[in-house]
Amino acid sequence: MTHNIGFNTFADRWQANAKLALDTIAMRPTRGIPTWLFQDMQWSHLEVLSGNPPGSYPKDPIRVYREFQIASGVCFIDQWIPENPLSMRDQGFGEDTLRGPTTGAEEIVCDGMRIDSPEAVVEHMEKHLFPRWEAWRRDLDAGADERVRNLIAAEVEVQEFFGLNMLKGPYGFCPFPSFLYGDYGYVNYFMAYALYPEVIERGFKIYADASVLHNRIAARAIIEGGLPRLVRLDHDMADSRGTLVGVKTLDKLWFPHFARAIQPLLDAGIRLIWHCDGNLMEMVPRLIETGIGGFQGFQYEDGMDYEKICRMTDRDGNPLFIIAGVSVTTTLPHGKPADVRRQMDWLVEKGPKVGLMLACSSSIAPGVPLENTRALIEGLAYYREHGRG
């Protein structure tokens, strides 16, 4: 495969914000601190802060969302979901919002099977999911070159839409075993996890078998396509109290298969970072041991020790890559602009000296005061220009 495909065609044309993101991903010292994806779910914020009239976002969501990211000074986006705020109806979920397995569905049906017990979960996994995943693995044995080309082409298409002052990072094409509460609901799935651990682990194994092959392809796409060598792995495995299951069961059932699934990316020299949900402090050292090289999105109020994590190193002794964010559950919705600025100062002061990006801890739900969002954007602009001063 030639070297003039993919992002290599942009090499000499990147503009200031994208260059700042690339240098930060490469763990080079920088003057400024780049801004990561800014996911504000309130339509009126997207419109007013991008200079568009009211009603523009639902009429033309992709354009307005892009203009909002650019106006906010965003340097790096991995997860490109411009139509996601449409689900929030500008003011949050309504009574007529479609309910799913994790959002109050009265009945969960998968492949015509009613999922109403842990036994139903196991039956569906063995009858439908396991064969599906095994077929996926077999299919991956052929057509690798075409899959690489398709992954690169999809990233290039988004990057060309962005322009060259905002960098697109790979996201969503590096699979690994995960909890299946999104399919079966929390109660049914976690009862199955507790009662039938051998079946749950078999699922992790089968999925990891396929993930290894897929991630070899993904690693090729990143390297051959000249894509940013930073991948954020995103799966919620904790709540405010701690991990959703006992961490020792993860040591036995999940971590070995997770580590095996991500190894092709690590072998290719690609940095993997983990999205933090809830309080997963118990998982942090274990994730680092598997090869994770950084973290994003900290719920400080739930016990995530930001300062301690920023002092940690990866398993080779190198600094961690950190995407730090102002809290979307406390500071932004309930604080004042001064609180927003104070938390940003703290994130920078206690963050790593290289490999730091700034944004929000997660998506901003509707209802955040506009003055707080403006204070956030102003603070991000200050740190992009001045860095640590």
Side-chain angles (χ1 to χ4, degrees), residues 276-352:
C276 300
D277 57 293
N279 182 1
L280 47 72
M281 282 301 294
E282 277 192 293
M283 285 184 66
V284 167
R286 292 168 163 87
L287 288 166
I288 290 174
E289 183 59 31
T290 66
I292 293 296
F295 297 91
Q296 172 272 323
F298 304 89
Q299 289 190 253
Y300 321 105
E301 68 277 9
D302 288 340
M304 288 299 288
D305 192 334
Y306 174 76
E307 296 185 20
K308 180 178 180 179
I309 292 171
C310 289
R311 293 193 299 268
M312 293 179 176
T313 60
D314 67 19
R315 64 184 183 184
D316 296 320
N318 301 308
L320 296 176
F321 190 97
I322 299 293
I323 301 178
V326 174
S327 174
V328 300
T329 52
T330 57
T331 309
L332 281 169
H334 304 301
K336 301 294 184 183
D339 300 313
V340 174
R341 291 188 286 268
R342 189 178 304 113
Q343 188 164 60
M344 293 188 75
D345 292 343
W346 171 70
L347 293 171
V348 172
E349 179 186 355
K350 301 301 182 181

Side-chain angles (χ1 to χ4, degrees), residues 44-348:
S44 56
H45 287 188
L46 299 175
E47 293 162 349
V48 69
L49 295 170
S50 65
N52 282 283
S56 299
Y57 175 71
K59 293 178 181 177
D60 195 357
I62 296 175
R63 177 186 62 81
V64 173
Y65 187 88
R66 171 186 175 273
E67 291 178 1
F68 170 78
Q69 300 297 328
I70 292 173
S72 301
V74 170
C75 305
F76 179 70
I77 293 181
D78 52 4
Q79 188 179 19
W80 174 239
I81 45 175
E83 296 174 291
N84 185 245
L86 290 175
S87 65
M88 299 300 286
R89 298 171 177 263
D90 195 33
Q91 296 298 327
F93 293 125
E95 292 183 0
D96 59 344
T97 300
L98 183 65
R99 305 297 177 181
T102 60
T103 54
E106 293 185 6
E107 184 178 58
I108 300 172
V109 178
C110 299
D111 294 299
M113 289 182 56
R114 185 179 181 186
I115 308 300
D116 56 2
S117 68
E119 288 73 26
V121 169
V122 168
E123 182 182 357
H124 183 269
M125 291 178 71
E126 294 183 325
K127 184 176 180 180
H128 293 280
L129 279 193
F130 294 175
R132 196 173 296 157
W133 293 343
E134 288 167 342
W136 170 42
R137 177 180 57 79
R138 290 192 298 270
D139 186 50
L140 287 167
D141 288 334
D145 288 346
E146 182 179 2
R147 293 176 189 276
V148 169
R149 287 193 297 269
N150 290 341
L151 288 173
I152 295 171
E155 294 298 293
V156 168
E157 181 180 9
V158 178
Q159 183 63 70
E160 289 176 338
F161 178 68
F162 280 4
L164 296 180
N165 199 34
M166 187 165 64
L167 180 68
K168 174 67 174 72
Y171 180 87
F173 57 73
C174 301
F176 57 89
S178 60
F179 292 154
L180 300 177
Y181 51 74
D183 297 295
Y184 303 126
Y186 293 108
V187 173
N188 294 323
Y189 178 73
F190 287 116
M191 282 198 297
Y193 184 99
L195 294 172
Y196 305 100
E198 70 285 352
V199 177
I200 297 297
E201 184 181 11
R202 182 148 50 98
F204 291 153
K205 179 186 182 303
I206 293 170
Y207 199 87
D209 290 342
S211 295
V212 169
L213 298 180
H214 191 286
N215 286 335
R216 289 173 185 163
I217 293 169
R220 279 187 57 194
I222 292 169
I223 300 304
E224 295 176 20
L227 307 181
R229 298 189 185 189
L230 179 74
V231 174
R232 180 170 59 100
L233 305 181
D234 189 350
H235 180 52
D236 292 348
M237 298 183 70
D239 62 15
S240 61
R241 299 163 296 181
T243 52
L244 296 176
V245 297
V247 73
K248 291 184 178 179
T249 70
L250 292 175
D251 289 337
K252 180 179 180 181
L253 304 181
W254 183 78
F255 270 109
H257 301 294
F258 170 72
R260 187 163 55 87
I262 65 174
Q263 192 60 46
L265 299 160
L266 300 174
D267 290 342
I270 297 163
R271 181 181 291 272
L272 304 179
I273 65 174
W274 186 267
H275 165 71
C276 300
D277 57 293
N279 182 1
L280 47 72
M281 282 301 294
E282 277 192 293
M283 285 184 66
V284 167
R286 292 168 163 87
L287 288 166
I288 290 174
E289 183 59 31
T290 66
I292 293 296
F295 297 91
Q296 172 272 323
F298 304 89
Q299 289 190 253
Y300 321 105
E301 68 277 9
D302 288 340
M304 288 299 288
D305 192 334
Y306 174 76
E307 296 185 20
K308 180 178 180 179
I309 292 171
C310 289
R311 293 193 299 268
M312 293 179 176
T313 60
D314 67 19
R315 64 184 183 184
D316 296 320
N318 301 308
L320 296 176
F321 190 97
I322 299 293
I323 301 178
V326 174
S327 174
V328 300
T329 52
T330 57
T331 309
L332 281 169
H334 304 301
K336 301 294 184 183
D339 300 313
V340 174
R341 291 188 286 268
R342 189 178 304 113
Q343 188 164 60
M344 293 188 75
D345 292 343
W346 171 70
L347 293 171
V348 172

